[in-house]
Amino acid sequence: MTRDWMNAGWPIVRIRDIGRLHGGGTPSRKRPEFFHGTIPWITGQDIPESHVAEISTARDYVTDEAVQLSATRVVPPGAVLVTTRVSVGKTAIAGCPICFSQDVTAILIHSAAIALPAYVAHFLRSRRGALLQKNQGSTIAGITRDSLALEQIPLPPLSEQQRIVEILQEAEEICRLRAEAEAKTTELIPRLFISIFGDPGQNPKKWSRHPLSSLAEKYSDGPFGSNLKSSHYTDRGVRVIRLQNIGVGFFLGDDEAFISEGHFAPLAKHGCLPGDVLIGTLGDPNLRACILPKEVGRALNKADCVQFRPDRSKVTAAYVCWLLNMPGTLRMAQSLQAGQTRSRISMGRLAPLSVPCPPLELQMEFEKAVQEILEVEESIRRSSKIEKSLAASLSAHAFSGQLTVDWREAHHDMLELEALDRDAALKEAGGTLTRFRRGTIQEMETVFQDRTDGIYSDLSREQCFLLREINRMVGGVRHARYFSAQQLSNYVSEGPLRRNPQAIEGHLAVFAARGLIIPVSREEQTEDTGEFVFGNAYRLPLDDCDPREGEEGEPRIGDHARLRELERLAAQLQKERALP
């Protein structure tokens, strides 16, 4: 990704160069009065996974005394919040004065001229994968503040930062709307069940009741650990269904495990087939069910999963699956656990559970409707995966400069002025500015060698220094970058020229007379009256330019033809002076 930053031509700085990093803390839970205040106090759990949020509320509010007597601190609105423990790499922006736990690090940007909080937050979120690789810690994984401080970030001018943020926020909004649609679609099946069959716990339609196990062709749990050992697992073979594969109505297939055919043979009586209902009786919720899909094929369920193969003459798989996922059924099952300390609902206690059994024809209508809803959900899910992939690609393009290349060219005059202000603010804050552009570095090496011949003759040491600073600030690009004496005085970091635009203006007049820079008249807005006036500005001479492959535009004859003529005349003058 750094190579992409190099191509963008933006300066590369470290996070510590653009702002101060602060850690948080947790007020003592032994002092409950600490948590009856008005200051929002957040943890990593309050920062969403899905997008860069602006946070102004919290689950907990603390007092001023809690802040004073703990490691937490209050940061102002606009602070960038990054999770650096537990769930590393989530980002948000403080929407009000806020404090936070040790799971979070806050970045307070030095100057509004350097970076937008939203830009920094979006960039760090795009680097979440890289941050996760730096995880440290045996019990609670995380990255150190020092590690975060050393992260590199490209810094386009502010307007381009804002343009990037707007594009990424639009993409996030599309993903958010898609997630909302998926959530609403997921709610349809439980609502459909209630509308057709009623609450299974209350059974308002007076369906006949039967023990759950009596509706099954096969009803059993899986083999225990003594029969299914860790040494039996292989890379491929018969799929092993575990508790983590059972969602509420959905088979969760990402976490895969297999055993060989040889190890499956003595356990074949526990084998599952597509269409079987798999029941999870432990976890949250401690009663949930899904249907084994066709693509999994033959499988083996572990002891913490109950296998239910429906008796097709009595019930459909869809009815049993969603019957077990309804809150009313869970309440009935939990009532069987009276006096039990374990949260698991055992297979033996679940088997006699008396459940409603509506007419098979009605169940089949429900099954057909469920299938249609699932097809819609699958379409939404596929679209969501595509959108997430596109969002990741969009983010990569955004921070490589590719996303805004046309916009940047159309606004480069404005961006150049902003870049000068940004660089000056970075220098003021003590930041180290680096430009990873090979061509620029090669050009600078030749420029920085002080020349004393031709049009460079008789330049003072201070003028040579200023010429180097000009090339550092605006050199190495193919288009005009304008500057003024005031901007140079802010850019120069040391010596008598710092904050001395009058002295710099005198040197610029000398450079302009020798053809080293080109004077221009630039329109500027005054700070006091807001009027637009024309002021002195300058630019470096441009080289001849032929459009690169794939670029639009006409070949350009640069200023160096005139510069070479001035050098020729200066050399001729020196020869004439040397004649006796």
Side-chain angles (χ1 to χ4, degrees), residues 404-569:
T404 50
V405 61
D406 293 336
W407 185 90
R408 181 165 60 249
E409 287 299 321
H411 298 83
H412 72 79
D413 285 356
M414 173 187 68
L415 296 176
E416 295 299 347
L417 294 174
E418 290 182 0
L420 295 175
D421 293 337
R422 173 205 59 204
D423 294 351
L426 275 170
K427 281 186 172 290
E428 183 73 22
T432 302
L433 194 77
T434 306
R435 294 183 187 273
F436 290 99
R437 297 180 68 248
R438 191 172 299 148
T440 300
I441 293 173
Q442 292 172 348
E443 291 161 10
M444 292 303 101
E445 287 176 350
T446 59
V447 171
F448 294 164
Q449 297 173 358
D450 292 342
R451 294 178 56 184
T452 58
D453 59 322
I455 57 176
Y456 296 91
S457 63
D458 300 326
L459 291 181
S460 68
R461 180 174 298 179
E462 189 171 85
Q463 288 170 339
C464 290
F465 165 78
L466 182 60
L467 194 58
R468 289 197 301 271
E469 290 296 288
I470 292 171
N471 277 279
R472 284 195 179 97
M473 186 172 76
V474 299
V477 296
R478 306 174 74 196
H479 55 265
R481 298 181 66 184
Y482 300 96
F483 59 92
S484 66
Q486 183 63 52
Q487 289 166 333
L488 274 171
S489 71
N490 293 332
Y491 178 83
V492 173
S493 58
E494 57 186 9
L497 295 182
R498 177 170 170 78
R499 308 293 187 190
N500 192 347
Q502 291 80 14
I504 290 177
E505 191 69 62
H507 293 321
L508 294 180
V510 174
F511 295 158
R514 293 176 177 239
L516 294 171
I517 59 176
I518 309 297
V520 295
S521 184
R522 296 278 291 173
E523 188 180 47
E524 294 181 344
Q525 189 173 17
T526 60
E527 293 184 2
D528 51 353
T529 65
E531 293 182 275
F532 285 92
V533 298
F534 286 89
N536 293 333
Y538 304 87
R539 64 174 174 83
L540 289 175
L542 294 172
D543 290 318
D544 297 345
C545 177
D546 290 319
R548 297 169 181 164
E549 185 177 352
E551 285 185 344
E552 297 181 356
E554 299 294 329
R556 180 188 68 212
I557 298 176
D559 302 298
H560 283 273
R562 183 177 63 167
L563 188 61
R564 286 191 296 270
E565 179 64 14
L566 287 171
E567 288 180 332
R568 188 189 68 78
L569 292 174

Side-chain angles (χ1 to χ4, degrees), residues 221-233 240 258-270 300-303:
D221 56 11
F224 288 91
S226 58
N227 296 318
L228 187 61
K229 300 177 182 179
S230 58
S231 60
H232 294 171
Y233 288 92
V240 177
F258 301 91
I259 61 171
S260 66
E261 290 284 352
H263 286 117
F264 174 72
L267 305 174
K269 66 178 182 179
H270 297 287
L300 173 73
N301 62 303
K302 288 190 67 176

Side-chain angles (χ1 to χ4, degrees), residues 3 34 48 57 66 96 100 150 204 283 289 295 350 382 442 464 500 539 566:
R3 187 170 299 171
F34 281 174
T57 59
C96 66
F100 45 93
L150 292 175
E295 58 267 22
L350 188 59
R382 284 196 301 266
Q442 292 172 348
C464 290
N500 192 347
R539 64 174 174 83
L566 287 171

Side-chain angles (χ1 to χ4, degrees), residues 202-318:
Q202 300 174 1
N203 193 17
K205 301 192 179 183
K206 308 301 181 183
W207 309 118
S208 61
R209 287 184 174 273
H210 301 270
L212 180 64
S213 58
S214 70
L215 303 177
E217 178 185 314
K218 180 182 178 183
Y219 181 82
S220 66
D221 56 11
F224 288 91
S226 58
N227 296 318
L228 187 61
K229 300 177 182 179
S230 58
S231 60
H232 294 171
Y233 288 92
T234 60
D235 292 334
R236 62 187 63 187
V238 179
R239 181 70 179 271
V240 177
I241 307 303
R242 298 177 290 177
L243 197 62
Q244 55 264 45
N245 297 129
I246 301 177
V248 178
F250 301 97
F251 181 80
L252 307 174
D254 292 339
D255 196 336
E256 296 183 337
F258 301 91
I259 61 171
S260 66
E261 290 284 352
H263 286 117
F264 174 72
L267 305 174
K269 66 178 182 179
H270 297 287
C272 303
L273 297 176
D276 287 356
V277 178
L278 303 171
I279 308 169
T281 58
L282 186 67
D284 185 20
N286 61 350
L287 178 62
R288 60 191 186 278
C290 68
I291 298 173
L292 185 66
K294 291 180 181 179
E295 58 267 22
V296 174
R298 184 182 52 169
L300 173 73
N301 62 303
K302 288 190 67 176
D304 51 8
C305 306
V306 176
Q307 173 197 6
F308 182 103
R309 184 169 300 160
D311 181 341
R312 304 289 178 176
S313 65
K314 299 177 181 177
V315 288
T316 65

